[in-house]
Amino acid sequence: MTAPTKPPQPIPAPADAPSGPPLGADLHSPVIDWFGEHARDLPWRRPEAGAWGVMVSEFMLQQTPVSRVLPVYEQWLERWPRPADLAKEAPGEAVRAWGRLGYPRRALRLHGAAVAITERHGGDVPADHAQLLALPGIGEYTAAAVASFAYGQRHPVLDTNVRRVLARAVTGVQYPPNATTAAERKLARALLPEDEPTAARWAAASMELGALVCTAKSESCHRCPIAAQCAWRLAGKPEHDGPPRKGQTYAGTDRQVRGRLLAVLREAHGPVPQAALDRVWHEPVQRARALDGLVSDGLVEPMAGGLYRLPLT
């Protein structure tokens, strides 16, 4: 839950605004102070969440809004409060519990990470960044996020929200590139506070600023604690002149068909016949392609007699 905000006050650009981009020291304190007052009370930010709760949240929040994640997250941690609890289950149970969060391969990857944590680290999420990165399904972003948010370490945490904040406040452009670049990583490292606790706080605060204030559309500059230093705002908010930013479509895509097929399998108590899957989508070629993709991704297991189930191994 977001803390009450003060009435918005316009922040005029100062007459003697600096001509160069703001330095890290110019950004840290105002953003961290703002975070202390306005950060949402989210379960994975509470001390009792632990490193496992942070890791689960990071898997679930990828390309998925907080409002959709919250109920699934709470059910997941109630059922599997430790990695070993999830590791005991079949992978298909993780897919079933994932519900309609989308991108269900994340559920398989989280299950795989839980198995590796149980086997390699005695059931405790490792604190070492390199060990986190070595877990299956863990990339650079997730390793940095868990090390930073769960263990208070100093790592650049570059999600879409942070990238947008840095693009606007420091680089002076409306949007970051479509894919994270080496230049963005270098900038994020250069902006990190020197001491670990402040760096971890900065990572969380800049992410929250992008999620609540410096949003992709309808940014709220009047509520931004660094509006007076923002290079993009001081430049007059020039329009994006890079490659077109295409919104993701869903209706009619293979993703929609895959979702409908998985919904049948999640709700079933046993193997499902081909005929039951055929009823979820009218176009047979696309339906077959979507089902083949689910099998290839390890989300569905074919069985003898034209039956299908969620994976057991």
Side-chain angles (χ1 to χ4, degrees):
M1 189 171 89
T2 306
T5 59
K6 297 178 181 179
Q9 298 294 325
I11 305 175
D16 57 346
S19 57
L23 302 174
D26 302 322
L27 305 176
H28 298 154
S29 292
V31 173
I32 290 172
D33 290 347
W34 171 88
F35 182 68
E37 186 173 355
H38 300 293
R40 290 169 291 181
D41 178 19
L42 299 173
W44 44 86
R45 289 179 176 162
R46 299 169 191 162
E48 61 268 25
W52 174 238
V54 171
M55 178 176 284
V56 171
S57 75
E58 289 300 331
F59 271 81
M60 291 185 174
L61 287 166
Q62 294 169 25
Q63 299 177 286
T64 308
V66 167
S67 59
R68 289 182 59 199
V69 165
L70 280 170
V72 181
Y73 172 88
E74 291 170 351
Q75 293 166 11
W76 189 286
L77 267 296
E78 182 177 354
R79 181 175 179 181
W80 299 309
R82 288 180 52 81
D85 300 317
L86 176 59
K88 294 175 185 175
E89 299 271 12
E93 286 306 301
V95 176
R96 192 188 311 277
W98 199 256
R100 303 190 65 83
L101 282 181
Y103 304 99
R105 276 178 290 182
R106 292 179 293 169
L108 288 183
R109 291 169 183 157
L110 184 51
H111 182 275
V115 171
I117 290 167
T118 303
E119 294 175 349
R120 303 176 196 172
H121 303 287
D124 294 322
V125 176
D128 182 76
H129 180 267
Q131 290 181 336
L132 285 166
L133 201 54
L135 294 173
I138 302 286
E140 175 57 40
Y141 165 77
T142 304
V146 173
S148 178
F149 301 151
Y151 294 113
Q153 297 177 14
R154 183 179 183 269
H155 296 282
V157 183
L158 274 175
D159 82 332
T160 301
N161 291 312
V162 175
R163 293 175 62 223
R164 187 169 55 252
V165 168
L166 299 187
R168 291 174 179 175
V170 182
T171 312
V173 296
Q174 186 177 17
Y175 298 118
N178 288 331
T180 306
T181 64
E184 288 180 283
R185 294 188 179 94
K186 182 179 179 180
L187 173 62
R189 287 193 298 269
L191 289 173
L192 274 178
E194 287 299 322
D195 69 290
E196 287 199 331
T198 307
R201 189 75 169 168
W202 160 253
S206 55
M207 186 177 294
E208 189 79 334
L209 185 66
L212 299 183
V213 175
C214 193
T215 54
K217 298 179 181 178
S218 305
E219 64 280 350
S220 301
C221 295
H222 61 277
R223 296 194 294 122
C224 180
I226 54 172
Q229 301 107 291
C230 177
W232 181 57
R233 181 175 179 271
L234 294 174
K237 294 186 177 181
E239 292 288 331
H240 176 67
D241 62 356
R245 301 178 64 82
K246 298 180 180 179
Q248 291 185 335
T249 58
Y250 183 73
T253 64
D254 285 5
R255 276 189 60 215
Q256 184 181 25
V257 185
R258 285 165 61 102
R260 292 192 177 183
L261 293 169
L262 274 182
V264 173
L265 291 161
R266 282 198 310 270
E267 293 164 7
H269 297 290
V272 172
Q274 177 77 55
L277 297 176
D278 289 345
R279 289 195 288 269
V280 307
W281 197 254
H282 62 283
E283 210 288 305
V285 174
Q286 187 180 24
R287 186 179 65 236
R289 183 173 65 240
L291 182 58
D292 286 345
L294 290 171
V295 172
S296 298
D297 290 340
L299 290 161
V300 173
E301 284 186 359
M303 302 174 64
L307 299 175
Y308 296 85
R309 68 184 179 192
L310 295 177
L312 294 181
T313 58

